[in-house]
């Protein structure tokens, strides 16, 4: 796969310049096939700009009641913004830091499944000390503990992203440079 590039973006700058995110991505994401943008919950200006790029919106959800409550706000945002083809933006959700031994988290997962249906991905990123240890070492969990269950979870998510999103540039085959 193409190399991974991490863009560090200052959310405060996006309020004043409505096209800044697209320009920074074009400059910093050369030679990549997909771009992941981690948008903080409070970065409404950055989220509005990201939505205009026709993304696949993936929302990690911690399995607690606070996530269930805030879900309605995000769903409202999606209903009020257009995605590809003028349709309402659709978000996909993945449980993060999931502990299947917790009855409360199992209940929250079921509530989310009832509210979201197939938009709650059928797999979860399980709680794992390997994640925290990898971050502390400045590594990805795949590099730090490649055979861990956490790495398997992340690779499942990577596979989902590959199968769901269109690689950047794939829509340009057979199109003249002047028409891109």
């Amino acid at each position: 796969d193409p190399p991974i590039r991490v863009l560090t973006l200052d959310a405060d700058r996006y309020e004043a310049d409505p096209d800044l995110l697209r320009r920074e991505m074009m400059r910093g994401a050369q030679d990549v096939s997909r771009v992941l943008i981690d948008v903080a919950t409070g970065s409404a200006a950055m989220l509005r700009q990201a939505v205009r790029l026709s993304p696949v919106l993936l929302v990690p959800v911690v399995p607690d009641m606070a996530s269930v409550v805030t879900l309605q706000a995000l769903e409202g945002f999606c209903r009020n913004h257009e995605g590809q083809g003028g349709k309402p933006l659709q978000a996909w959700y993945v449980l993060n830091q999931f502990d299947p031994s917790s009855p409360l988290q199992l209940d929250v997962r079921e509530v989310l499944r009832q509210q979201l249906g197939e938009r709650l991905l059928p797999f979860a990123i399980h709680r794992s000390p390997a994640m925290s240890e990898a971050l502390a070492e400045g590594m990805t969990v795949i590099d730090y503990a490649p055979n861990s269950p956490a790495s398997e979870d992340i690779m499942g998510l990577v596979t989902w992203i590959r199968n769901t999103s269109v690689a950047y540039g794939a829509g340009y085959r057979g199109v003249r440079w002047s028409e891109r």
Side-chain angles (χ1 to χ4, degrees):
D1 285 339
I4 295 172
R5 299 230 199 299
V6 177
L7 301 177
T8 303
L9 307 174
D10 180 7
D12 295 334
R13 296 176 40 218
Y14 295 90
E15 202 69 54
D17 186 345
D19 201 39
L20 181 60
L21 180 61
R22 185 190 61 75
R23 287 196 320 271
E24 287 190 358
M25 282 180 43
M26 296 301 289
R27 183 175 48 249
Q30 298 166 351
D31 302 325
V32 299
S33 63
R34 290 169 181 82
V35 176
L36 298 177
I37 304 171
D38 184 1
V39 178
T41 305
S43 301
M46 186 184 286
L47 184 56
R48 281 191 298 276
Q49 287 191 32
V51 165
R52 290 187 301 144
L53 300 172
S54 299
V56 171
L57 184 59
L58 177 63
V59 180
V61 179
V62 177
D64 62 16
M65 291 311 294
S67 294
V68 172
V69 171
T70 59
L71 184 68
Q72 297 306 316
L74 183 58
E75 289 287 289
F77 177 88
C78 290
R79 279 191 300 276
N80 293 320
H81 289 81
E82 290 183 358
Q84 286 184 317
K87 297 177 184 175
L89 184 63
Q90 186 175 40
W92 298 89
Y93 299 84
V94 62
L95 284 175
N96 191 23
Q97 300 180 22
F98 181 64
D99 179 1
S101 68
S102 166
L104 176 61
Q105 289 190 16
L106 291 171
D107 289 346
V108 169
R109 180 180 65 181
E110 188 54 36
V111 168
L112 291 170
R113 189 175 287 144
Q114 289 172 5
Q115 289 183 4
L116 301 170
E118 68 179 21
R119 293 183 304 123
L120 178 64
L121 298 184
F123 55 85
I125 309 300
H126 292 85
R127 178 181 301 274
S128 169
M131 290 282 210
S132 299
E133 293 165 5
L135 287 172
E137 293 293 327
M139 301 172 74
T140 69
V141 72
I142 294 169
D143 293 324
Y144 179 78
N147 297 319
S148 70
S151 289
E152 291 177 22
D153 292 343
I154 296 299
M155 288 308 299
L157 182 58
V158 167
T159 299
W160 181 87
I161 291 170
R162 283 182 179 147
N163 292 334
T164 303
S165 65
V166 175
Y168 178 78
Y172 291 128
R173 289 191 177 95
V175 177
R176 292 182 183 98
W177 282 101
S178 61
E179 295 172 346
R180 291 184 181 188

